[in-house]
């Protein structure tokens, strides 16, 4: 079960709206969705959580690049919403690393279960296995993403369970978040 909400900071405090991420395919799409929530280019937070598995925070300040924090990259990588957040840059990979691993696979018919003792088949398997290691277990991203809003890096890293609720509470936005839950 997923929950995603937008928290937009306005002159009057925080405004919350739940958001549907079905049409969001990239981080750029997500940032655009966040910017639409705040026509005045105020700070907008996209909070995403999957029941006790992982949570993510995307902060969009006007036209600046989004800042991202993901509590458990390996868990998020198994999620379609998590994949949106886990960009090559966030994971410290060169763009296209994953594609290179797929290109290195030698699909010569042996993928149907035939054995092939040829070294080329082994190299492809090693490359594919290596791509799984590119996503670390544990947090990735900007753990200071909420520092200026009253949630320290240490607090953010220690959150679990209802992290979205904890973040909203620390921001003084729990009541508005609960209205969209």
């Amino acid at each position: 079960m997923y929950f995603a909400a937008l928290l937009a900071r306005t002159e009057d405090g925080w405004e919350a709206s739940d958001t549907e991420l079905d049409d969001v395919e990239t981080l750029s799409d997500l940032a655009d969705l966040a910017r639409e929530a705040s026509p005045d280019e105020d700070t907008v937070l996209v909070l995403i959580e999957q029941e006790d598995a992982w949570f993510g925070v995307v902060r969009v300040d006007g036209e600046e690049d989004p800042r991202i924090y993901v509590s458990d990259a390996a868990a998020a990588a198994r999620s379609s919403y998590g994949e949106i957040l886990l960009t090559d840059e966030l994971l410290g990979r060169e763009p296209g690393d994953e594609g290179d691993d797929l290109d290195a696979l030698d699909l010569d018919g042996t993928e149907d279960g035939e054995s092939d003792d040829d070294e080329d088949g082994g190299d492809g398997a090693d490359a594919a296995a290596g791509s799984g290691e590119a996503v670390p277990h544990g947090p990735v991203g900007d753990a200071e993403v909420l520092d200026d809003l009253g949630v320290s890096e240490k607090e953010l890293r220690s959150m679990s369970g209802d992290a979205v609720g904890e973040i909203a509470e620390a921001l003084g936005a729990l009541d508005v978040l609960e209205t969209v839950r």
Side-chain angles (χ1 to χ4, degrees):
M1 177 71 105
Y2 292 93
F3 175 72
L6 292 173
L7 286 178
R9 191 159 96 182
T10 68
E11 292 177 4
D12 302 323
W14 292 97
E15 290 181 8
S17 58
D18 63 343
T19 187
E20 190 61 48
L21 298 179
D22 291 343
D23 295 332
V24 175
E25 295 180 11
T26 66
L27 180 60
S28 181
D29 293 343
L30 188 62
D32 289 344
L33 183 70
R35 287 183 184 105
E36 289 171 13
S38 178
D40 296 331
E41 296 190 7
D42 293 319
T43 298
V44 178
L45 302 176
V46 181
L47 304 174
I48 303 170
E49 71 181 356
Q50 181 184 5
E51 286 182 9
D52 297 331
W54 67 276
F55 70 92
V57 177
V58 178
R59 178 178 178 160
V60 178
D61 293 300
E63 292 300 318
E64 292 181 29
D65 288 340
R67 295 170 57 193
I68 305 163
Y69 174 80
V70 176
S71 66
D72 186 338
R78 295 186 295 271
S79 152
S80 58
Y81 296 141
E83 288 178 351
I84 294 169
L85 306 181
L86 297 174
T87 62
D88 287 337
E89 181 180 344
L90 189 70
L91 296 173
R93 298 188 300 213
E94 289 296 318
D97 274 359
E98 238 177 295
D100 292 344
D101 289 342
L102 292 176
D103 292 340
L105 291 175
D106 182 15
L107 301 178
D108 61 359
T110 59
E111 65 275 9
D112 292 329
E114 299 170 23
S115 68
D116 182 6
D117 296 331
D118 188 7
E119 287 181 32
D120 292 338
D123 291 343
D126 291 344
S131 69
E133 295 171 17
V135 180
H137 289 277
V140 295
D142 184 354
E144 297 175 350
V145 67
L146 301 174
D147 267 2
D148 65 323
L149 299 175
V151 181
S152 72
E153 175 181 353
K154 182 179 178 181
E155 290 171 312
L156 190 62
R157 288 184 184 272
S158 69
M159 290 181 180
S160 62
D162 182 21
V164 167
E166 290 180 50
I167 291 168
E169 185 174 16
L171 298 175
L174 185 58
D175 291 341
V176 294
L177 179 69
E178 290 301 323
T179 63
V180 298
R181 262 200 174 165

